[in-house]
Amino acid sequence: MERRLRELDRLDQSHGLGASPTHRPVREPWGARRRTSGPRRERRTHGPVLPGLLVAVVVTTLLLMRDPGAFGNRMRDLLGRNDRLGDLVGVEDTGGSYDFSLTQRGGRQPVSWNPCEPITYVVNPAGAPQDWEVLVSESVAEIEGATGFRFSDEGVTDDRDFERRESLLGRPAPVLIGWSDAEEVPRLAGDVAGLGGSATSQGLGRRYYVTGMVALDTDVYDRLADEPGGREQMRAILVHELGHVVGLGHVDDPEELMNADNLGRTTLGEGDREGLARLGSVPCS
């Protein structure tokens, strides 16, 4: 075979077809047919390498951007994806109690919101106390200060769907804050003063919350409006539920506002603040 190829090269040169490439021994599988007419297209052998490398680079870059490590953060900085809306809250080991509602797959890092985008919310004021606007504003500001997240008030709404927080096009709807009762929201039955939670986006890599809701018991708020210290209790309930919205779970420690059976605490505890700061310290999406 090699002798025949050399002979073909010699004939090409003698007929002015130009210098032929240097042929190297080729081991072909049985049954393979060699092209004997026209020049060999050696570049075809290496053709898919460049697209394959580009795909690998793109996939690796996306994974590194979602990686919680220092290199992933640096990659997001270089690509302009680390523009946090609020200041990063320093995380200190307080020794207090906190828990996360969800953690990332295969680890202990929390599922949280994207700190480079605002958490949009709307309020349905039906059944709300008279000063609901101030109450919501103060409670949201408390969570903003403890996390570094930024909320965006999208105004009032007549939306009362506390369960399905999607728009008609399937996109995440703003967080809904409203007042209700057990007839409309069965989980408010008994001594439950409020409910709060969020839904995550689906996809590869790090998960983030994209929408949520807070349902506050109208009867409880009506009763607290006439009690001494009732306003502080109303605010504490809302802050507690917003804590769930941004990603905190319940704890057993009565010194924390996120205690499931809170019987009087009206301010964030040390563990609450540490957990909220950790939720706010996640990388941007």
Side-chain angles (χ1 to χ4, degrees):
M1 177 68 75
E2 293 182 37
R3 185 170 61 253
R4 184 66 177 273
L5 289 173
R6 286 195 294 272
E7 179 65 15
L8 289 173
D9 290 341
R10 187 183 64 77
L11 290 173
D12 286 344
Q13 291 177 336
S14 66
H15 287 81
L17 297 178
S20 64
T22 301
H23 292 287
R24 298 174 181 172
V26 177
R27 295 183 180 272
E28 295 186 84
W30 290 104
R33 295 183 59 187
R34 175 174 294 280
R35 295 170 61 101
T36 57
S37 61
R40 289 186 301 156
R41 300 181 180 180
E42 293 186 353
R43 291 180 64 185
R44 175 177 290 183
T45 303
H46 305 288
V49 173
L50 184 56
L53 288 174
L54 289 175
V55 171
V57 169
V58 171
V59 171
T60 301
T61 300
L62 291 174
L63 290 176
L64 287 174
M65 288 175 65
R66 289 185 174 273
D67 179 75
F71 191 81
N73 288 335
R74 179 58 178 159
M75 180 67 72
R76 285 184 290 273
D77 286 335
L78 292 174
L79 295 177
R81 296 291 300 277
N82 241 2
D83 297 329
R84 308 178 71 89
L85 298 182
D87 294 333
L88 188 65
V89 178
V91 177
E92 298 181 3
D93 187 358
T94 64
S97 301
Y98 66 88
D99 195 15
F100 300 126
S101 298
L102 288 175
T103 54
Q104 302 293 339
R105 298 181 182 92
R108 296 176 54 84
Q109 297 197 17
V111 174
S112 188
W113 291 77
N114 178 7
C116 290
E117 294 183 359
I119 301 175
T120 60
Y121 72 94
V122 292
V123 180
N124 187 319
Q130 287 186 344
D131 64 340
W132 67 267
E133 291 179 282
V134 177
L135 188 67
V136 171
S137 178
E138 291 178 350
S139 301
V140 166
E142 181 79 7
I143 296 297
E144 284 184 326
T147 59
F149 292 137
R150 288 296 175 261
F151 285 69
S152 176
D153 182 358
E154 301 297 307
V156 298
T157 181
D158 58 1
D159 183 1
R160 299 199 63 79
D161 193 344
F162 293 98
E163 299 297 330
R164 186 177 178 83
R165 301 306 306 145
E166 292 180 354
S167 67
L168 294 177
L169 298 178
R171 297 177 60 83
V175 172
L176 173 62
I177 300 175
W179 284 257
S180 187
D181 55 30
E183 183 176 353
E184 181 182 26
V185 181
R187 288 186 294 159
L188 286 174
D191 58 355
V192 178
L195 297 168
S198 292
T200 65
S201 62
Q202 300 298 316
L204 298 175
R206 179 181 285 274
R207 289 186 294 168
Y208 290 87
Y209 292 120
V210 293
T211 186
M213 70 87 189
V214 171
L216 304 166
D217 192 292
T218 304
D219 293 337
V220 171
Y221 272 71
D222 286 344
R223 185 180 71 251
L224 290 174
D226 297 326
E227 293 183 1
R231 191 182 186 283
E232 288 72 22
Q233 288 289 338
M234 288 190 285
R235 181 176 174 277
I237 294 169
L238 181 50
V239 172
H240 175 107
E241 302 309 333
L242 288 172
H244 286 314
V245 169
V246 296
L248 285 184
H250 282 142
V251 296
D252 294 329
D253 190 343
E255 295 299 315
E256 309 294 349
L257 187 62
M258 296 308 296
N259 177 259
D261 300 314
N262 184 17
L263 297 177
R265 186 172 186 92
T266 58
T267 59
L268 292 171
E270 292 184 349
D272 299 320
R273 292 191 176 279
E274 180 180 347
L276 290 169
R278 293 187 183 279
L279 287 166
S281 68
V282 302
C284 293
S285 172

